[in-house]
């Protein structure tokens, strides 16, 4: 049996797991991500790797995959930026970990790693073309076409949250107007809800938020209780999601779409609206493209990171 | 020297060329495409192939590539539909031509073949990732990522004209609203111009059209003469093109974009507007993506078709 170590480097939590080729997690270790700077975080990464590596024969470990937030230069293995980790800029993570562990290391952007994991072990198993979308604070994702990740120049492709779907629409954090992320992310939903409440629209969202800033979760909970404003916001949210998914179907013609992220937890509420929008927008021969909730859930990060190793065999370490 | 025969199956003209590996056309033959139905067109295809095949030693010909309008089922080599050719539905073109010529045959959608040709022999030479866009009556294109065409399920990917870029925008021929094609194609430009003229806006477009239905070419000619309405229409056209190109940059992160089709002949007028739009919409690390006019021009079809053979080695004919 071959194993890989998957490292999920998150802004709040850092997690490593020893994963076998069947996607079973043998051991895992979690720590709260340090805010003391990159050196401290790198020491944490090495500690969790060491802890899980000892659970199996080291010779059976093919390598270490790391899912890193933000862009990663795939030629050099440098993690460019991670807004969620203090001081994290241009960290040569691959070279550091290779030197410290003497193992084969691959570093990849977390959304791409998740797409690969969902394809290899989750709802995309067995298909040739998968689009993975994660809708939470922002919108990200990765695309597998002909059984390979779409990477583009310097690995910068599939910035799917930054497709313009309404050219004169809401301003996005990236500076563009009408990006999918600016209209359909959890943050966008929360912002539209806050504005409606500020304008005096009655809704139980206010009670549910109980003084905290309104979040997408508050809106979803109010909609589950048949709150009229929340239901209307969830309808619009589903429609925006459907418009973006239509574009991804037309561009990549995937066998399946997998939806992850916090917003996908409200799939029961969103699904009718997503489907209604796609039913008329998608071209007929592509209209049957299945949209599923991603299966790997909380293990997405470590399984995706481990898949980097299983899908890309170790190079000779000369 | 190896050769391939490239067949460009157009609605008005059918063309075959014997092409060498360097992209030089040794012989070519053109005929007006028959309107007498698929059987007649197939006979024409075989005649032009025979005519050009005799120009070199037959043993040096690796195969026949066919660029066919409309969708092609790549598993079966069946050309599904071609609205521009009378009665053309589900024609098993690959099998028919293989049987009649005893050569290796590959049939591909014309936009994908053109993308491959432009990458192999044109402005995309030497790059790993190319987006090819053709803007004419409609908008089509093809994408090379990691030196391979993005094909998707049944070869139906990269319907780039049918990205929604303005969700409440103009109705598209496909039934969706706000497709790139409905806003930025030559037909869309002609339609907006016609409406402005019908509303009484003064312009020399009327004189240039001289009673014929207004076309994108008429608008471009008026703009070249500094006609105010035409200049404004070309500005808007450039902006719409820039919005769609922004999406393609964010999705595919190509090394370069190649623009073909009739509208690209007005690049001098359009370019400042395309660049201005992309300068603020594209994310900073991708903002330097070059946009060039496609180089292969009129030979795009036959060279792209021949590239199908050079890029995909012949399978043993068992």
């Amino acid at each position: 049996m071959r194993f890989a170590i998957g490292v999920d480097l998150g802004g709040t939590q850092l997690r490593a797991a020893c994963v076998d080729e069947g996607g079973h997690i043998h051991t895992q270790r979690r720590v709260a991500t340090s805010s003391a700077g990159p050196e401290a975080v790198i020491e944490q990464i090495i500690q969790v790797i060491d802890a899980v590596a000892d659970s199996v024969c080291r010779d059976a470990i093919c390598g270490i995959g790391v899912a890193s937030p933000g862009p990663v230069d795939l030629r050099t293995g440098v993690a460019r930026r991670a807004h969620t980790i203090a001081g994290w800029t241009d960290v040569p993570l691959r070279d550091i970990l290779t030197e410290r562990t003497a193992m084969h290391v691959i570093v990849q952007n977390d959304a791409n790693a998740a797409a690969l994991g969902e394809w290899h072990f989750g709802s995309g198993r067995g298909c040739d073309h998968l689009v993975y979308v994660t809708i939470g604070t922002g919108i990200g994702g990765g695309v597998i076409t002909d059984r390979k990740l779409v990477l583009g120049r310097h690995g910068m492709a599939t910035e799917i949250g930054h497709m313009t779907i309404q050219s004169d629409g809401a301003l996005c954090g990236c500076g563009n107007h009408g990006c999918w992320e600016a209209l359909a992310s959890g943050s966008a939903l929360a912002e539209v809800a806050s504005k409606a409440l500020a304008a005096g629209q009655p809704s139980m969202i206010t009670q549910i938020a109980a003084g905290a800033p309104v979040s997408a979760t508050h809106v979803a909970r109010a909609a589950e209780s048949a709150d009229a404003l929340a239901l209307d916001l969830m309808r619009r949210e589903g429609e925006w999601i459907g418009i973006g998914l239509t574009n991804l179907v037309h561009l990549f013609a995937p066998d399946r779409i997998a939806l992850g992220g916090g917003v996908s937890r409200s799939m029961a509420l969103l699904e009718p609206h997503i489907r209604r929008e796609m039913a008329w927008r998608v071209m007929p021969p592509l209209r049957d493209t299945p949209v599923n909730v991603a299966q790997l859930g909380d293990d997405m990060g470590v399984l995706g990171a481990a898949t980097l190793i299983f899908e890309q065999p170790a190079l000779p370490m000369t």
Side-chain angles (χ1 to χ4, degrees), chain A:
Chain A
M1 179 72 90
R2 297 193 315 154
F3 295 88
I5 293 175
V7 178
D8 181 12
L9 175 54
T12 50
Q13 183 181 260
L14 165 60
R15 191 173 162 204
C18 185
V19 178
D20 71 25
E21 285 173 289
H24 303 290
I25 293 175
H26 284 245
T27 350
Q28 56 176 314
R29 199 60 67 92
R30 298 166 199 253
V31 290
T33 309
S34 168
S35 55
E39 288 76 15
V41 174
I42 288 165
E43 289 307 317
Q44 288 187 305
I45 295 174
I46 289 163
Q47 282 165 17
V48 291
I49 288 171
D50 274 340
V52 300
D54 288 336
S55 70
V56 297
C57 170
R58 285 217 177 209
D59 288 347
I61 301 175
C62 309
I64 301 167
V66 183
S68 176
V72 173
D73 189 320
L74 301 177
R75 296 163 307 175
T76 59
V78 171
R80 301 290 306 280
R81 281 182 311 285
H83 296 298
T84 50
I85 302 174
W88 193 274
T89 312
D90 290 328
V91 178
L93 197 54
R94 186 185 67 195
D95 288 354
I96 294 172
L97 295 182
T98 302
E99 198 192 317
R100 296 283 300 271
T101 65
M103 282 197 261
H104 171 56
V105 178
I106 298 177
V107 181
Q108 177 58 276
N109 160 267
D110 55 0
N112 280 343
L116 209 56
E118 185 67 21
W119 169 64
H120 200 79
F121 291 124
S123 66
R125 258 193 321 274
C127 71
D128 293 325
H129 318 287
L130 177 75
V131 166
Y132 166 73
V133 180
T134 171
I135 308 183
T137 313
I139 296 184
V143 176
I144 313 285
T145 192
D146 267 324
R147 310 179 64 78
K148 295 229 179 280
L149 271 176
V150 174
L151 296 171
R153 185 156 62 108
H154 302 183
M156 294 189 292
T158 63
E159 282 285 357
I160 62 173
H162 300 284
M163 294 186 288
T164 301
I165 60 169
Q166 180 72 25
S167 65
D168 54 1
L171 179 66
C172 184
C174 76
N176 185 15
H177 274 271
C179 285
W180 193 24
E181 174 168 306
L183 296 159
S185 65
S187 318
L189 175 59
E191 194 175 324
V192 176
S194 299
K195 281 186 183 161
L197 296 174
Q201 290 198 46
S203 165
M204 67 173 73
I205 298 172
T206 315
Q207 286 74 46
I208 292 172
V214 169
S215 71
T217 309
H218 298 145
V219 179
R221 282 183 48 205
E224 282 158 11
S225 300
D227 178 80
L229 173 63
L231 283 171
D232 195 53
L233 292 170
M234 292 303 277
R235 174 189 59 73
R236 197 73 193 109
E237 172 69 13
E239 289 168 359
W240 285 125
I241 293 174
I243 293 169
L245 294 183
T246 297
N247 282 9
L248 296 173
V249 167
H250 287 161
L251 288 163
F252 295 105
D255 295 312
R256 292 172 214 160
I257 293 175
L259 272 189
V263 170
S264 69
R265 285 199 288 269
S266 304
M267 195 62 174
L269 280 162
L270 295 168
E271 195 170 10
H273 308 300
I274 295 174
R275 292 204 185 283
R276 198 182 54 248
E277 200 71 14
M278 293 179 76
W280 72 273
R281 288 194 185 266
V282 176
M283 302 173 86
L286 294 164
R287 214 166 267 173
D288 59 350
T289 309
V291 179
N292 305 116
V293 174
Q295 283 176 358
L296 302 189
D298 196 33
D299 296 331
M300 185 78 81
V302 288
L303 290 178
T307 309
L308 293 168
I309 298 297
F310 293 132
E311 281 294 319
Q312 192 165 324
L315 304 167
M317 304 253 314
T318 48

